[in-house]
Amino acid sequence: MAEKEVTKISLSTFFLIIALIVIFVMAIFLYLSYDEKIKANDKSLELQAQVTNLERSINNLQEKMDSNSAVENTNTTKPTSTTMLDKKYENSKYGITFSYPSSLSDSDSSLTNDMVESFIDNNGNQIVIARFDNDTIENIIDFEKNKVMPDGTKIELDIKKEGYVTLDSGTKGYCIETNDNSIVFITEKNDMVFRFTIIYTTGNETLSNAILNSFSLK
């Protein structure tokens, strides 16, 4: 009888120890799970704060950009190049039209030889229209890029860019733009080649491009 009681006590003690171990393991597991949850929650809050700060920085930057843009628009009092083209040239004989500033005065309208017309102002801005009968665009391009003075000196153009273009007016031709403030546009019509040259002073590049794009030969 005593042996049975000892056995019961031993089993009870064994199961009690097992239960305590299970409780201890579960307690550790719950603690670790809770700790991980706290850390994950803290990380989430940290990331949310970073996102909020980033959004605030982006909004501040956008406000500064909008403010600077508004200031620039307010301070821009100069008229656009198109509003400065207040005069129009029309030549019914050759179908030439273009717009230009009234500050450029008509200095030659002979329509003889190669010269068609030229305009100039007191600041050195100049427009020259010339025609070449029974010639080709390629020949005039070569002529422009390989000019030779009467004394044999070769004039080399300081070319910024060149190539075939279509102007805003729809006229197609070859354009040579140089670094010494000049634009040469070459086009053709009915076995005649026309050279439209714009020489402009520093600061008038936008205006010269507007004049060029208004040129039409129809």
Side-chain angles (χ1 to χ4, degrees), residues 6-218:
V6 170
T7 301
K8 288 182 179 180
I9 292 173
S10 297
L11 287 174
S12 299
T13 303
F14 174 75
F15 285 120
L16 178 60
I17 293 172
I18 293 298
L20 290 173
I21 292 173
V22 170
I23 293 171
F24 179 74
V25 170
M26 290 182 63
I28 293 176
F29 176 77
L30 291 174
Y31 173 78
L32 292 176
S33 298
Y34 179 76
D35 187 58
E36 287 296 325
K37 184 178 179 180
I38 293 296
K39 289 181 178 179
N41 187 54
D42 291 341
K43 188 65 177 179
S44 176
L45 292 175
E46 182 181 351
L47 290 174
Q48 184 61 42
Q50 290 178 357
V51 170
T52 302
N53 290 335
L54 182 59
E55 290 177 346
R56 187 179 296 111
S57 298
I58 292 174
N59 290 335
N60 291 337
L61 181 60
Q62 185 63 49
E63 288 177 0
K64 288 181 180 179
M65 292 175 64
D66 293 341
S67 177
N68 291 337
S69 178
V71 170
E72 288 178 2
N73 292 333
T74 303
N75 292 335
T76 303
T77 57
K78 295 181 180 180
T80 61
S81 59
T82 53
T83 61
M84 296 175 67
L85 305 181
D86 53 3
K87 199 168 182 179
K88 188 171 185 178
Y89 172 85
E90 294 183 294
N91 185 300
S92 58
K93 182 176 181 179
Y94 298 111
I96 299 172
T97 62
F98 63 89
S99 299
Y100 65 101
S102 56
S103 58
L104 289 167
S105 58
D106 179 3
S107 60
D108 184 4
S109 57
S110 61
L111 302 181
T112 59
N113 299 323
D114 289 341
M115 184 66 67
V116 175
E117 192 131 17
S118 66
F119 303 82
I120 194 168
D121 65 12
N122 295 328
N123 296 320
N125 298 299
Q126 187 175 10
I127 298 174
V128 180
I129 313 165
R131 84 176 193 281
F132 304 89
D133 298 332
N134 300 315
D135 218 325
T136 65
I137 288 182
E138 290 75 18
N139 285 342
I140 301 305
I141 292 173
D142 183 67
F143 170 76
E144 286 295 318
K145 296 171 69 173
N146 298 282
K147 286 183 178 179
V148 179
M149 299 294 289
D151 62 358
T153 304
K154 183 179 179 181
I155 302 176
E156 294 187 6
L157 294 180
D158 184 10
I159 298 175
K160 184 193 302 185
K161 59 182 178 180
E162 62 177 315
Y164 284 95
V165 299
T166 300
L167 304 180
D168 291 349
S169 64
T171 302
K172 298 180 179 181
Y174 196 89
C175 187
I176 302 174
E177 187 173 347
T178 70
N179 287 310
D180 54 356
N181 298 351
S182 69
I183 299 175
V184 179
F185 178 73
I186 305 167
T187 187
E188 61 183 345
K189 175 186 177 183
N190 300 332
D191 296 325
M192 286 188 294
V193 177
F194 291 87
R195 183 187 64 203
F196 187 57
T197 305
I198 305 172
I199 301 170
Y200 59 92
T201 54
T202 302
N204 287 312
E205 183 174 0
T206 301
L207 178 62
S208 65
N209 276 287
I211 296 173
L212 171 65
N213 278 289
S214 71
F215 179 84
S216 176
L217 179 63
K218 297 181 179 179

